[in-house]
Amino acid sequence: LEKKAWVNGCTIYGGNASSRQTGNRSHTGYGGGAYLVENSALYNCEISHCAATMRGGVVYMDGGGRVEFCFIHTCQASGVGIVQGYGGAARIDYNGSVEHSYLTQSCARIGAGLAICHVPCEYPWRERIRALYNREPVDEDEINHFSPFCTASVISNNTSNAEGGGIYLDEGGTLNHCSVLNNNCIGADVMYTS
């Protein structure tokens, strides 16, 4: 988005993204409460009782977005059979951030509180090294300067039926000063895959 778009100080209740199409990337199963891209943001919101079949029970961040000072609770990303179902409260793909927020009482197949997908080949260090060795200028417009992260947030009392009761990190992402506690799943509270 060229300009910023945001929602500030609102309540989002009962959203539903219920597509069950797994063959293609149908976005109608993503972000039960909000679907954020690039410069979009949610500030000071309470979001609850939302569901998505694929990703992000409450919030799905597609290539960007920001959630700050939000209270997210009682949501789910159920998945379809044994696929999808990432991020009961929030899912970040490629870019985006969750800051100073509370994600609680949500459920998902994987990453009940938060799921982050980090794609290393899309980040600046590879472009910079390639430019250095090829002795060519770095195309700043092609570089993604924003890493997906969660900072100063509480992720608690979430339930996963596969991996990452609290947080699931797929190939990276950053957690900074977060409290991850009292989440339930058959495995670890925070799950990292590479």
Side-chain angles (χ1 to χ4, degrees):
L1 296 173
E2 203 172 295
K3 308 268 186 201
K4 288 189 174 189
W6 68 88
V7 175
N8 189 351
C10 290
T11 298
I12 299 172
Y13 181 90
N16 187 23
S18 61
S19 173
R20 299 181 67 78
Q21 299 295 321
T22 59
N24 60 3
R25 193 165 184 243
S26 173
H27 295 282
T28 57
Y30 295 34
Y35 189 114
L36 305 179
V37 295
E38 297 177 18
N39 289 325
S40 56
L42 293 174
Y43 299 111
N44 306 304
C45 293
E46 179 179 351
I47 312 160
S48 68
H49 298 86
C50 296
T53 52
M54 302 297 186
R55 299 179 185 175
V58 167
V59 179
Y60 177 71
M61 289 172 250
D62 188 0
R66 183 177 185 177
V67 172
E68 190 168 10
F69 297 108
C70 290
F71 177 43
I72 298 172
H73 64 94
T74 323
C75 300
Q76 72 174 3
S78 58
V80 178
I82 59 168
V83 298
Q84 294 291 339
Y86 294 97
R91 166 69 181 210
I92 303 172
D93 274 353
Y94 313 116
N95 278 336
S97 66
V98 174
E99 306 171 45
H100 312 283
S101 294
Y102 188 37
L103 288 65
T104 187
Q105 296 177 341
S106 294
C107 62
R109 196 176 73 76
I110 297 175
L114 173 65
I116 296 176
C117 177
H118 172 88
V119 181
C121 65
E122 294 184 9
Y123 286 81
W125 63 271
R126 288 189 191 248
E127 290 297 321
R128 295 188 189 288
I129 290 172
R130 194 172 298 126
L132 177 68
Y133 285 108
N134 294 335
R135 297 179 191 264
E136 57 189 41
V138 176
D139 185 356
E140 294 293 328
D141 292 332
E142 297 298 318
I143 292 178
N144 187 339
H145 294 281
F146 199 77
S147 206
F149 68 92
C150 180
T151 186
S153 295
V154 175
I155 297 96
S156 70
N157 300 309
N158 299 293
T159 302
S160 167
N161 62 4
E163 298 175 326
I167 299 172
Y168 179 78
L169 301 171
D170 187 2
E171 293 191 39
T174 303
L175 300 176
N176 181 32
H177 293 92
C178 292
S179 295
V180 182
L181 57 133
N182 203 28
N183 297 289
N184 296 308
C185 88
I186 58 172
D189 213 18
V190 177
M191 183 73 177
Y192 174 79
T193 65
S194 59

